[in-house]
């Protein structure tokens, strides 16, 4: 079975069968990372470019490791959006890269839709590594792989996503994915961080932690972007942490076997208390491991051989 | 309706595997450091049966594993369809081991080339041997099997399939026109 | 030069005319409207052109009261010449252009410059709209009287709202003493700033910051209250929300002197169009929800919305071939406006007579310009429309420099096939021998 697409731009239009295919493939790929020689020759001679307009060490590294374990050549380009706004445009950059014949371009950008621009313009496969507050499909896929491993299925699980939903591409991609896979998704945050008509995305909306995480099988905490405070989205970190952090007390409301997830990097003591982040229910580091496997699976499934 | 001919029945298969098991033991002078690895998908159950036979003959358990060679194939990105990836299970280093890889049909040799490359990534075996149930000829690489159930000259447009069943009584090797 | 337009269906709401008749144009003026005008051979001489307009609609020249011609300052996007060429190609004989040029049209010399460029281009009549505040920065009023004398027809800081209610009050009062309209761009920037599209389900899905409908409604209500309080009048630009329509409707029935315009895209497209992140759908106000579109149509139908203007806002690829977030607001509209409006007639929302009111009679009335009528003796500004012509929008054929048109590739029905300005044929379809 193949993916029915050239690019991986988002989960929104990814059918359930293709999510399954990616997760199944990723599961098989996990073993490679446990070998002494953690490399297979599959993408030998392929060139993968990571084009990051936003700093992100972990996502870029994860993609790079994934590509290298498949024997692809990787080139990392870090660009700052500020220089791009005035000088070379994204389209210029893209066309320049295309002229060097890469096979896959992985892009992260602060502007929603940036990956779509490249996808429409270039023959190469484009993987969206995060575009503004829009989508971050590989994060959602690795989250789904982690949940599936831990819980066997996503069907019927109560999954709470807590934090700044409005500005979170992780939340959006996960909502698209998890609802497709049959989970009951609850989102939670202060009202100004819950975007309009959220319930139309097929989730239940809560404005306090206790209701949201009650009987949850999975609690996914989002990173609080500290600069949001400037825009009056929350009055102070202390206030936010008091009302919207996951801690030893409120986690008791969730199921006993709850797993705690976080896309990282963690603001310890802001959205999650250290003892929970490091505690037995945390699967945060397994998410990172699964990130490499999911990205290997995608690179494999999107590479070459299209007719 | 395609013409279909049974070239080996359950009994024949059983006899061949028994002979191969003895040959493996004889060639390797016992089971020391012996590892049987089946190639997905056709080699998996053959490898399992060989492992059982060898263990029974020698009265000692031997290690076995499974190998998906897809990621090492030389045509993996050029075929229109992306092959499904199954799990590889070799949870031990292969250094200094005597590895017998098992497949159902030896044809062009490309699968075996991929398998040998893959095995090298799990360590440095002392030696690698190849056991197949059917050798149908038409090699495209300088590869030969060490243990062969039956050599079956075929034409390129024929398909040879090894059908193994769980209770073994309906096992057969059939040859049909492509 | 004389023109004889024969056998068209002449629609002139200003005189309650809707009949098949002939029009004779002499010396740039309309000299006769009667059935079966036939001129003696001897009289016809060499200077008479006769056009057979059977099955065509003949209307007072259409007026687009809200365009951006970009000159001075942004000549790479549009000039007075290319903009007025696009206007006549779209069926407009008169256009009013907004003040957000560089320098801003906040003084006599810019107004006069635009007039001069328009005279040189000699295509459509161009009516400059001057800024309300110097530099459009919302602090100090411009010299309304001097600008009127220089040829400005209205005042607007379009592109920016006038956030200071006190300044807006004074603008309304001062403009009223010159019998000039103030055209208000209604936006509460506290609610809208940072927004990139209409706030609703689609913005939630796309993760784009929203511009809530109420950011427009609140300012519309403020300006209506100001106009009522000061007993002056105000014109609301580019109405896009159900809330604005309702506010204008209530104000009108309360006797407040308010007029309003909308643009074709606000009754043609919804925020669903943003899903592909195409910057050609990015504009201010943003494309709204389906409820808003319905309310706009109802506002047009019941007369709450007086006029339709294109808000023609050409941009180059420099502003548009970029990430959605960085792209400039605005779409090229002059050459697609009329057919999109004709769909309202096809859909039974407006009669063709009502549409002519909203695209010619009412804009002339709001701007107090001597246009929008085929009365004998008036300037021969005439638009000839083929209601049934099916054509495909191809931005490469636009007269405008702008290619930022969301309707590229659309198949549209109806088109201006001849545009006459001051008795001269400025645009004609290939079907006519000029």
């Amino acid at each position: 079975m193949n993916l029915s697409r050239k690019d991986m731009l988002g989960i929104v239009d990814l059918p359930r069968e293709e999510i399954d295919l990616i997760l199944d493939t990723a599961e098989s790929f996990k073993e490679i990372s446990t070998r002494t020689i953690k490399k297979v020759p599959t993408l030998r001679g392929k060139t993968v470019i990571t084009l990051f307009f936003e700093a992100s060490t972990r996502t870029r590294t994860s993609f790079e490791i994934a590509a290298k374990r498949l024997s692809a050549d990787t080139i990392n380009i870090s660009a700052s959006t500020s220089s791009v706004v005035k000088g070379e445009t994204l389209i210029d950059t893209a066309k320049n890269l295309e002229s060097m014949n890469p096979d896959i371009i992985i892009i992260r950008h602060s502007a929603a839709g940036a990956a779509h621009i490249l996808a429409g313009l270039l023959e190469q496969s484009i993987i969206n590594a995060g575009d503004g507050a829009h989508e971050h499909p590989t994060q959602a896929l690795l989250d789904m792989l982690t949940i599936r491993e831990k819980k066997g299925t996503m069907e019927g699980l109560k999954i709470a996503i807590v934090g700044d939903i409005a500005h979170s591409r992780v939340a959006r991609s996960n909502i698209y994915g998890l609802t497709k896979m049959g989970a009951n998704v609850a989102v939670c945050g202060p009202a100004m961080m819950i975007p309009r008509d959220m319930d139309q995305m097929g989730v239940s909306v809560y404005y306090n932690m206790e209701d949201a995480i009650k009987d949850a099988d999975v609690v996914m905490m989002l990173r609080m972007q500290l600069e949001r405070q400037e825009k009056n989205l929350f009055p102070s970190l202390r206030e936010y942490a008091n009302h919207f952090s996951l801690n030893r007390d409120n986690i008791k409301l969730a199921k006993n076997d709850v797993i705690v997830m976080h896309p990282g990097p963690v603001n310890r003591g802001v959205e999650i208390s250290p003892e929970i982040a490091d505690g037995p229910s945390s699967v945060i580091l397994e998410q990172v491991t699964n990130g490499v496997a999911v990205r290997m699976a995608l690179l494999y499934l999107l590479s070459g051989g299209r007719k | 309706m395609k013409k279909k001919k049974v070239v080996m029945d359950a009994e024949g298969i059983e006899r061949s595997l028994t002979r191969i098991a003895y040959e493996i033991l004889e060639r390797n002078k016992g089971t020391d450091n012996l590892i049987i690895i089946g190639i997905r998908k056709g080699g998996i159950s053959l490898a399992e049966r060989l492992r059982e036979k060898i263990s029974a003959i020698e009265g000692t358990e031997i290690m076995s594993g499974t190998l998906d060679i897809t990621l090492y194939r030389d045509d993996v990105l050029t075929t229109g369809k992306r092959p499904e990836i199954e799990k590889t299970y070799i949870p031990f280093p292969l250094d200094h081991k005597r590895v017998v890889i098992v497949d159902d049909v030896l044809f062009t040799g490309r699968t075996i080339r991929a398998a040998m490359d893959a095995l090298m990534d799990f360590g440095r075996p002392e030696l690698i041997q190849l056991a197949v149930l059917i050798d149908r000829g038409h090699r495209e690489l300088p590869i030969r099997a060490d243990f062969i159930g039956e050599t079956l000259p075929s034409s390129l447009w024929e398909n040879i399939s090894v059908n193994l069943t769980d209770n073994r009584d309906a096992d057969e090797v059939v040859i049909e026109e492509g | 030069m004389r023109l004889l337009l024969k056998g068209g269906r002449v629609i002139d709401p200003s005189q309650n005319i809707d009949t098949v008749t002939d029009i004779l144009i002499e010396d740039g003026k309309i000299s006769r409207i009667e059935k079966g005008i036939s001129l003696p051979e001897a009289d016809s001489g060499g200077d008479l052109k006769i056009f057979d307009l059977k099955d065509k609609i003949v209307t007072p020249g259409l007026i687009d009261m809200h365009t951006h011609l970009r000159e001075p300052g942004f000549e790479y996007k549009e000039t007075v010449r290319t903009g007025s060429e696009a206007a006549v190609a779209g069926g407009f004989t008169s256009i009013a252009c907004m003040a957000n040029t560089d320098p801003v049209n906040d003084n006599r010399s810019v107004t006069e410059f635009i007039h001069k460029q328009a005279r040189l281009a000699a295509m459509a009549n161009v009516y400059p709209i001057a800024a309300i505040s110097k530099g459009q920065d919302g602090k100090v009023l411009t010299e309304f009287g001097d600008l009127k004398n220089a040829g400005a027809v209205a005042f607007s800081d379009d592109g920016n709202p006038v956030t200071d209610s006190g300044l807006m009050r004074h603008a309304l009062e001062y403009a009223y003493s010159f019998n000039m309209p103030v055209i208000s761009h209604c936006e509460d920037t506290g609610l809208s700033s940072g927004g990139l599209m209409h706030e609703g389900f689609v913005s939630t899905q796309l993760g784009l910051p929203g511009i809530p409908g109420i950011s427009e409604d609140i300012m519309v209500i403020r300006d209506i209250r100001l106009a009522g309080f000061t007993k002056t009048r105000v014109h609301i630009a580019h109405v896009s929300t159900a809330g604005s329509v309702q506010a204008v409707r209530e104000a009108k029935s309360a006797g407040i002197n308010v007029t309003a315009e909308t643009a074709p895209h606000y009754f043609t497209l919804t925020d669903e169009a943003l899903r592909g992140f195409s910057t050609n759908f990015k504009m201010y106000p943003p494309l709204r929800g389906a409820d808003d579109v319905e309310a706009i149509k109802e506002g047009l139908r019941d007369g709450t919305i007086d006029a339709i203007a294109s808000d023609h806002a050409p941009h180059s690829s420099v502003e548009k071939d970029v990430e959605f977030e960085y792209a400039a607001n605005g779409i090229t509209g002059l050459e697609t406006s009329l057919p999109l409006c004709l769909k309202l007639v096809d859909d039974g929302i407006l009669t063709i007579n009502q549409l002519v009111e909203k695209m010619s009679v009412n804009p002339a009335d709001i701007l107090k310009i001597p246009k929008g009528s085929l009365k004998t003796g008036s300037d021969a500004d005439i638009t000839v429309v083929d209601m049934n012509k099916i054509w495909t929008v191809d931005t490469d054929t636009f007269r405008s420099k702008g290619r930022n048109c969301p309707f590229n590739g659309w198949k549209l029905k109806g088109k201006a096939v001849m545009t006459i300005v001051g008795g001269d044929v400025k645009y004609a379809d290939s079907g006519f021998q000029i």
Side-chain angles (χ1 to χ4, degrees):
Chain A
M1 187 173 158
N2 281 16
L3 293 180
S4 61
R5 60 207 62 237
K6 162 174 100 70
D7 312 294
M8 178 51 59
L9 302 180
I11 306 291
V12 62
D13 58 350
L14 195 65
R16 184 173 173 154
E17 310 80 67
E18 295 190 27
I19 294 176
D20 279 326
L21 170 67
I22 295 166
L23 300 188
D24 292 347
T25 308
E27 237 169 50
S28 299
F29 273 109
K30 272 188 91 169
E31 175 266 334
I32 294 170
S33 295
T34 66
R35 298 180 190 174
T36 324
I37 296 176
K38 303 173 188 61
K39 200 178 185 88
V40 292
T42 317
L43 299 190
R44 215 157 40 93
K46 301 282 174 196
T47 307
V48 174
I49 292 182
T50 64
L51 177 59
F52 273 52
F53 292 90
E54 262 185 353
S56 160
T57 313
R58 62 180 65 207
T59 304
R60 195 188 52 67
T61 308
S62 179
F63 269 111
E64 189 177 357
I65 287 182
K68 289 203 148 103
R69 290 197 175 151
L70 292 170
S71 298
D73 296 311
T74 57
I75 315 257
N76 300 313
I77 301 175
S78 300
S80 81
T81 37
S82 55
S83 72
V84 168
V85 173
K86 283 291 166 199
E88 193 182 53
T89 65
L90 175 63
I91 290 174
D92 287 336
T93 308
K95 287 184 171 164
N96 271 282
L97 292 179
E98 183 178 39
S99 305
M100 296 184 239
N101 288 320
D103 297 282
I104 294 183
I105 297 175
I106 296 156
I107 177 175
R108 165 167 290 195
H109 199 295
S110 59
H116 296 65
I117 295 181
L118 294 202
L121 215 60
L122 308 185
E123 274 181 36
Q124 282 80 5
S125 287
I126 308 298
I127 299 180
N128 182 4
D131 62 327
H134 180 223
E135 282 235 42
H136 190 354
T138 57
Q139 177 71 43
L141 289 165
L142 75 88
D143 289 340
M144 288 190 274
L145 180 61
T146 309
I147 295 170
R148 202 176 76 165
E149 273 180 0
K150 293 290 168 189
K151 300 288 179 187
T153 177
M154 284 163 268
E155 196 82 51
L157 295 185
K158 179 176 178 186
I159 300 176
I161 305 177
V162 183
D164 184 0
I165 308 293
H167 298 92
S168 175
R169 52 193 173 212
V170 175
R172 277 182 186 75
S173 289
N174 264 306
I175 289 167
Y176 288 131
L178 293 169
T179 52
K180 272 180 216 195
M181 303 309 279
N184 301 315
V185 179
V187 299
C188 174
M192 55 274 224
M193 294 183 185
I194 305 286
R196 203 164 176 77
D197 298 333
M198 193 70 209
D199 49 333
Q200 287 183 39
M201 288 186 81
V203 302
S204 24
V205 177
Y206 296 92
Y207 300 104
N208 75 73
M209 277 290 275
E210 288 68 30
D211 294 343
I213 64 178
K214 188 168 187 307
D215 297 325
D217 298 281
V218 179
V219 178
M220 193 181 285
M221 300 304 296
L222 301 174
R223 176 177 166 78
M224 185 63 224
Q225 303 286 337
L226 303 182
E227 59 272 20
R228 301 283 177 229
Q229 192 180 353
E230 293 158 22
K231 294 190 173 170
N232 269 322
L233 283 174
F234 63 96
S236 69
L237 278 184
R238 175 177 162 275
E239 170 101 350
Y240 184 83
N242 280 342
H243 294 279
F244 293 98
S245 77
L246 188 65
N247 55 45
R248 255 194 291 221
D249 294 326
N250 57 19
I251 199 173
K252 291 180 190 138
L253 296 166
K255 290 219 177 105
N256 285 334
D257 61 348
V258 66
I259 58 170
V260 175
M261 307 176 76
H262 191 295
V266 174
N267 291 311
R268 281 161 189 275
V270 180
E271 66 265 3
I272 190 167
S273 65
E275 56 273 22
I276 301 298
D278 304 328
S281 37
S282 167
V283 295
I284 295 172
L285 295 176
E286 281 150 286
Q287 289 173 268
V288 178
T289 304
N290 284 338
V292 174
V294 153
R295 290 174 178 121
M296 286 173 80
L298 261 187
L299 290 169
Y300 167 69
L301 291 167
L302 289 174
S303 280
R306 261 182 312 276
K307 292 281 151 54
Chain B
M1 183 82 186
K2 285 174 187 169
K3 263 191 214 155
K4 194 168 141 182
K5 196 171 98 191
V6 176
V7 292
M8 217 174 183
D9 59 8
E11 235 172 87
I13 291 172
E14 188 64 18
R15 268 199 299 272
S16 284
L17 289 176
T18 306
R19 174 173 53 76
I20 290 173
Y22 277 107
E23 284 176 7
I24 289 172
L25 282 171
E26 190 179 4
R27 179 88 65 91
N28 294 290
K29 302 183 172 61
T31 58
D32 283 356
N33 289 324
L34 190 65
I35 288 180
I36 307 283
I37 298 211
I39 298 177
R40 286 195 184 273
K41 302 182 176 178
I44 303 285
S45 45
L46 287 174
E48 179 55 24
R49 291 193 197 180
L50 280 174
R51 188 194 63 76
E52 276 174 24
K53 284 184 185 298
I54 292 169
S55 296
I57 295 163
E58 292 290 289
T60 164
E61 283 301 313
I62 59 168
M63 288 194 286
S64 66
T66 61
L67 179 65
D68 184 317
I69 56 96
T70 309
L71 296 170
Y72 291 81
R73 274 169 56 171
D74 53 15
D75 62 350
V76 62
L77 294 185
T78 50
T79 52
K81 237 173 132 176
R82 232 11 37 83
E84 260 172 61
I85 309 292
E86 304 263 351
K87 283 203 182 78
T88 287
Y89 178 78
I90 305 181
F92 33 73
L94 296 183
D95 296 304
H96 314 302
K97 297 288 193 258
R98 304 171 74 88
V99 177
V100 178
I101 50 181
V102 181
D103 205 358
D104 50 359
V105 179
L106 177 59
F107 187 19
T108 61
R110 288 178 191 270
T111 298
I112 306 306
R113 193 283 307 163
M116 287 194 289
D117 279 355
L119 290 179
M120 295 303 181
D121 287 351
F122 288 85
R124 185 177 184 279
E126 186 183 322
L127 57 81
I128 298 178
Q129 295 164 340
L130 173 62
V132 297
L133 186 61
I134 304 290
D135 178 354
R136 63 171 293 189
H138 304 290
R139 215 76 77 240
E140 293 169 4
L141 296 172
I143 279 171
R144 60 161 184 79
D146 300 272
F147 314 104
I148 300 169
E150 191 160 331
T151 302
L152 203 66
S154 62
S155 55
L156 276 173
W157 53 89
E158 285 172 326
N159 285 327
I160 294 178
S161 44
V162 176
N163 306 321
L164 300 183
T165 53
D166 281 347
N167 57 6
R168 303 188 182 187
D169 55 353
D171 293 349
E172 59 177 14
V173 177
V174 296
I175 184 162
E176 56 194 328
E177 280 175 26
Chain C
M1 181 59 132
R2 293 177 301 160
L3 299 178
L4 179 55
L5 311 181
K6 286 192 75 71
R9 176 180 164 197
V10 175
I11 296 177
D12 179 6
S14 78
Q15 308 179 75
N16 278 321
I17 294 175
D18 180 358
T19 183
V20 174
T21 185
D22 299 347
I23 299 178
L24 180 67
I25 299 165
E26 290 181 299
D27 300 324
K29 305 280 184 194
I30 293 176
S31 72
R32 287 160 70 187
I33 300 193
E34 13 176 295
K35 283 186 207 276
I37 299 177
S38 71
L39 300 173
E41 286 291 321
D43 193 28
S44 63
D47 74 333
L48 179 68
K49 275 240 169 257
I50 302 175
F51 293 107
D52 175 13
L53 301 183
K54 189 168 177 301
D55 300 329
K56 307 284 192 291
I57 305 264
V58 181
T59 77
L62 302 182
I63 301 169
D64 191 337
M65 64 178 295
H66 190 146
T67 69
H68 298 268
L69 298 184
R70 306 301 189 201
E71 190 179 0
F74 307 102
E75 290 83 355
Y76 67 99
K77 298 185 189 191
E78 193 80 292
T79 61
V80 172
R81 176 182 295 276
T82 57
S84 52
E85 280 172 355
V88 296
F92 296 98
T93 56
S94 296
I95 51 179
C97 57
M98 286 296 173
N100 58 344
T101 49
D102 183 18
V104 168
N105 183 12
D106 59 4
N107 64 78
R108 162 182 284 276
S109 61
V110 177
T111 305
E112 286 173 345
F113 171 77
I114 294 167
H115 271 297
K116 184 182 136 227
Q117 295 301 84
R119 269 197 311 279
L120 290 172
M123 297 304 284
N125 305 302
V126 176
Y127 293 98
I129 295 167
I132 292 171
S133 63
K134 285 186 180 149
Q136 291 193 311
D137 63 3
K139 295 203 172 71
V140 180
L141 289 183
T142 58
E143 296 169 330
F144 285 14
D146 202 36
L147 285 159
K148 180 181 186 179
N149 291 337
V153 294
F155 298 100
S156 179
D157 273 359
D158 185 64
N160 298 320
V162 176
T163 52
D164 180 338
S165 304
L167 185 79
M168 191 62 173
R169 171 190 175 164
H170 294 315
L172 293 175
E173 290 170 331
Y174 195 45
Y176 198 68
S177 54
F178 292 101
N179 195 21
M180 302 262 282
V182 170
I183 300 174
S184 180
H185 167 120
C186 291
E187 174 181 4
D188 181 330
T189 51
L191 287 165
S192 66
S193 78
L196 296 171
M197 67 172 292
H198 175 60
E199 181 175 335
F201 180 52
V202 181
S203 68
T204 290
Q205 283 198 301
L206 296 182
L208 289 173
I211 301 169
I214 51 158
S215 65
E216 179 176 314
D217 306 348
I218 285 171
M219 284 299 243
V220 169
I221 291 165
R222 182 202 72 173
D223 288 347
I224 285 169
R225 290 296 176 91
L226 283 173
F229 178 70
T230 56
K231 299 191 171 56
T232 59
R233 70 177 173 117
V234 67
H235 177 78
I236 310 296
H238 44 55
V239 167
S240 73
T241 65
S244 299
V245 174
Q246 184 56 22
V248 172
R249 183 179 289 128
E250 285 168 11
K252 282 185 168 184
S253 67
I256 294 170
N257 197 346
V258 55
T259 53
E261 83 199 18
T262 190
H265 34 281
Y266 299 121
F267 54 76
T268 308
L269 298 167
T270 68
D271 56 349
E272 289 287 334
L274 275 302
R275 288 196 183 278
F277 292 99
S278 164
T279 58
N280 283 340
F281 295 92
K282 186 180 178 187
M283 61 203 72
Y284 189 87
L287 295 174
R288 300 290 186 184
D291 292 352
D292 295 300
V293 168
E294 286 313 305
I296 297 285
K297 287 180 182 172
E298 179 55 24
L300 285 163
R301 200 193 57 73
D302 73 6
T304 301
I305 299 174
D306 306 90
I308 303 173
S310 70
D311 198 359
H312 176 76
H315 287 292
S316 81
S317 62
V318 175
E319 289 82 22
K320 283 295 193 179
D321 283 358
V322 295
E323 294 85 327
F324 191 86
E325 194 170 326
Y326 308 145
N329 283 312
I331 68 168
T332 306
L334 277 167
E335 290 163 82
T336 51
S337 181
L338 174 60
L340 294 169
C341 294
L342 286 170
K343 183 144 195 312
L344 296 172
V345 178
D346 248 18
D347 292 347
I349 291 157
L350 295 179
T351 64
I352 180 71
N353 302 60
Q354 288 170 325
L355 182 64
V356 174
E357 286 178 23
K358 291 185 198 300
M359 297 187 79
S360 181
V361 182
N362 296 349
D365 190 44
I366 293 164
L367 297 175
K368 306 290 175 212
I369 55 176
K371 299 288 179 186
S373 174
L374 297 176
K375 280 200 184 76
T376 309
S378 57
D379 293 339
D381 289 0
I382 294 174
T383 304
V384 180
V385 181
D386 181 341
M387 299 279 285
N388 299 312
K389 185 181 173 102
I390 309 276
W391 62 290
T392 303
V393 180
D394 177 3
T395 53
D396 287 341
T397 66
F398 276 7
R399 271 74 168 173
S400 168
K401 288 187 182 181
R403 296 289 176 268
N404 50 316
C405 175
F407 307 108
N408 192 30
W410 280 38
K411 195 170 261 190
L412 298 179
K413 187 179 167 202
K415 198 177 184 310
V417 291
M418 184 183 287
T419 308
I420 300 169
V421 181
D424 290 330
V425 177
K426 297 297 185 186
Y427 170 81
D429 228 35
S430 50
F432 292 101
Q433 293 269 319
I434 308 167

